[in-house]
Amino acid sequence: MCIRPTWVEISRHRLLANYRYLRQRAGRSADLLAVVKADAYGHGLVHCAPLISGAGAEWLGITSVEEGIRARSACAARPRILVISGLWHGEAAGALAHNLTPVVWEQFHLDELEAAARERGLGPRSVAVHLEIDTGMARQGVAAPYCAGTERGTEAPALKNLLARFHPQSALRLEGIMTHFSAAESLSSVEFKRQMARLGAALDHVIAARLEFRWLHAGASATLMGGQDLPAMSELAAKAGARLMLRPGLALYGYAPRFSPPGTPADEAATHLQQVLAWKTRVVSTHSIPGGEGVSYNSTFLARRPTRLALIAVGYADGLNRLLSNRASLSVRGQRVPIAGRICMDQCLLDVTDVPAVELGDEVVILGGHAMDAYEHADLIDSIPWEVLCDIGPRVPRMLVD
Ligand SMILES: *Cc1c(COP(=O)(O)O)cnc(C)c1O
């Protein structure tokens, strides 16, 4: 097989164990939507989506119609697929053709879905959609009624106009109401309480409009792992006659959000998760340089002693962030060795002076396994594990192991 030696190993059994753990943690009264957007957080949609849906996941969440089409053709089990970031012009027909369920909040989403449904000759209430309520993230969704203190019940004209679209002759059916929390990892936050209050106020409008819907969904990994807010959410769903659904992403891949304050039961729950991904490469060349020589572009690493270097087949074009130059250490023969000098586009160098056994062809773990995990990478570059995982580039092949 002709492959450049840099690849990502995905542990099938760890992914499934995480899914089962989260499923059990959600309890019987809540459903789960497994978020596999952004190529399953860099883990490979075509591998992860069929495994998770094969394990019984009823819902998958992806970003766009394009991703949804890939997920649809990868999954034999015919899961429901939610298009989390809504629709853009011209995408409605594709969403219907592939049985994707869009999140909606703009009038044009509904216009284009209605038109596409007409074109396909679909009858009333045949196209399920989920309406997003903006309760404080201010990213997407129709504004909830403002309900700080006495403002509760304030008019929400945009919401009312959207709800009026779900009349009995419409091809559209309101199947879900959703929102997204902006600070779920800070436990018992005032933001969470304010967002829940606004969601409750929005639901009052839905109930007043006599619209029934099947799912109320909110809460990502942090809400599910934290757990303390689930009773309030279940109560709200029950009041609206709907089932609660949670949308974990990161936790499926074995990383728990970091909670603040730390040391809570949520951190204990995190010990049940197993990191799914290991990113690896090989030593493709070794050589030694005398003390005083510089390494890689601009000699940002200056050898203070005679130094043995190992060249590895990974660079920033593969998603190894250049800010990790001279900061991160990778793992070879079970030991950590530092990156020496600037990470190049396709390659970088390790200082292996202290591990003399290193030789051509040795496996090097970049992330996961014995190496730094996505949190450690993230901390070094002022980022978050979500970004570190998604950054692993498309030219790095993903392969299922175990
Ligand atoms: C990405 C996303 C999630 C999953 O978030 P995690 O923190 O990775 O669990 C859930 N809901 C929405 C709307 C998202 O965009």
Side-chain angles (χ1 to χ4, degrees):
M1 201 168 35
C2 303
I3 65 159
R4 173 171 165 258
T6 179
W7 70 98
V8 160
E9 293 178 359
I10 300 298
S11 165
R12 184 187 275 123
H13 84 256
R14 289 177 168 215
L15 180 65
L16 291 175
N18 292 338
Y19 170 71
R20 292 198 188 102
Y21 173 72
L22 295 172
R23 181 50 277 166
Q24 171 231 317
R25 192 169 172 79
R28 277 165 193 228
S29 60
D31 294 325
L32 281 195
L33 178 145
V35 179
V36 292
K37 66 190 179 189
D39 204 27
Y41 290 45
H43 291 61
L45 178 72
V46 295
H47 295 313
C48 299
L51 281 174
I52 297 171
S53 80
E58 192 187 348
W59 280 93
L60 301 179
I62 45 75
T63 297
S64 60
V65 170
E66 195 182 327
E67 285 185 359
I69 293 172
R70 285 182 65 214
R72 175 61 73 221
S73 63
C75 296
R78 310 246 356 123
R80 298 292 305 278
I81 298 177
L82 188 75
V83 183
I84 293 176
S85 302
L87 294 175
W88 184 237
H89 296 305
E91 291 187 321
L96 299 195
H98 296 273
N99 192 20
L100 310 177
T101 305
V103 169
V104 296
W105 69 93
E106 292 278 357
Q107 291 282 352
F108 84 83
H109 296 154
L110 304 185
D111 296 341
E112 297 197 12
L113 285 164
E114 289 269 14
R118 249 194 325 275
E119 224 153 83
R120 292 179 79 82
L122 298 175
R125 299 174 48 77
S126 50
V127 177
V129 299
H130 291 207
L131 177 64
E132 178 150 356
I133 312 284
D134 173 23
T135 55
M137 178 78 177
R139 179 172 70 175
Q140 63 178 47
V142 58
Y146 236 79
C147 49
T150 55
E151 284 176 275
R152 191 180 169 89
T154 302
E155 294 297 289
L159 173 60
K160 282 187 177 162
N161 288 338
L162 281 172
L163 293 176
R165 301 284 304 262
F166 296 100
H167 53 80
Q169 288 75 44
S170 167
L172 308 179
R173 181 175 84 254
L174 182 66
E175 185 187 50
I177 298 270
M178 65 177 284
T179 195
H180 194 50
F181 297 128
S182 67
E185 71 292 342
S186 71
L187 299 173
S188 309
S189 68
V190 289
E191 287 97 327
F192 173 79
K193 291 188 181 114
R194 190 168 57 215
Q195 287 192 261
M196 283 294 281
R198 290 178 180 176
L199 183 59
L203 289 179
D204 289 345
H205 283 269
V206 180
I207 293 165
R210 297 182 195 286
L211 287 169
E212 287 179 358
F213 58 96
R214 176 106 187 265
W215 279 287
L216 177 69
H217 55 103
S221 297
T223 308
L224 180 51
M225 295 300 287
Q228 78 289 346
D229 296 323
L230 296 180
M233 292 169 62
S234 295
E235 201 175 303
L236 196 59
K239 188 176 154 227
R243 273 184 72 78
L244 178 64
M245 185 152 70
L246 298 152
R247 304 184 305 256
L250 189 71
L252 283 169
Y253 310 101
Y255 287 89
R258 271 186 191 150
F259 291 93
S260 60
T264 60
D267 291 318
E268 193 279 322
T271 62
H272 294 272
L273 299 177
Q274 306 173 49
Q275 293 172 10
V276 171
L277 175 152
W279 184 8
K280 299 183 175 177
T281 183
R282 288 194 191 279
V283 174
V284 295
S285 178
T286 61
H287 59 287
S288 297
I289 55 170
E293 287 293 307
V295 173
S296 191
Y297 289 120
N298 308 108
S299 300
T300 59
F301 179 96
L302 211 52
R304 274 173 305 187
R305 56 178 178 174
T307 297
R308 188 152 176 266
L309 296 169
L311 181 70
I312 56 173
V314 65
Y316 59 77
D318 301 298
L320 188 65
N321 194 299
R322 190 167 163 279
L323 293 172
L324 293 170
S325 302
N326 294 313
R327 290 192 192 164
S329 59
L330 310 186
S331 173
V332 58
R333 293 188 175 248
Q335 299 203 49
R336 295 272 182 98
V337 291
I339 292 177
R342 292 232 160 110
I343 294 169
C344 306
M345 186 182 285
D346 310 305
Q347 296 169 309
C348 74
L349 291 148
L350 301 175
D351 176 356
V352 295
T353 316
D354 295 329
V355 192
V358 167
E359 60 185 27
L360 194 71
D362 276 0
E363 187 174 283
V364 176
V365 188
I366 302 162
L367 194 158
H370 300 296
M372 292 182 155
D373 66 21
Y375 261 115
E376 295 177 83
H377 272 229
D379 286 344
L380 290 174
I381 61 173
D382 193 17
S383 182
I384 51 174
W386 290 259
E387 185 185 24
V388 167
L389 294 168
C390 291
D391 270 354
I392 303 174
R395 83 175 183 187
V396 181
R398 273 71 170 170
M399 42 195 74
L400 286 174
V401 294
D402 63 40

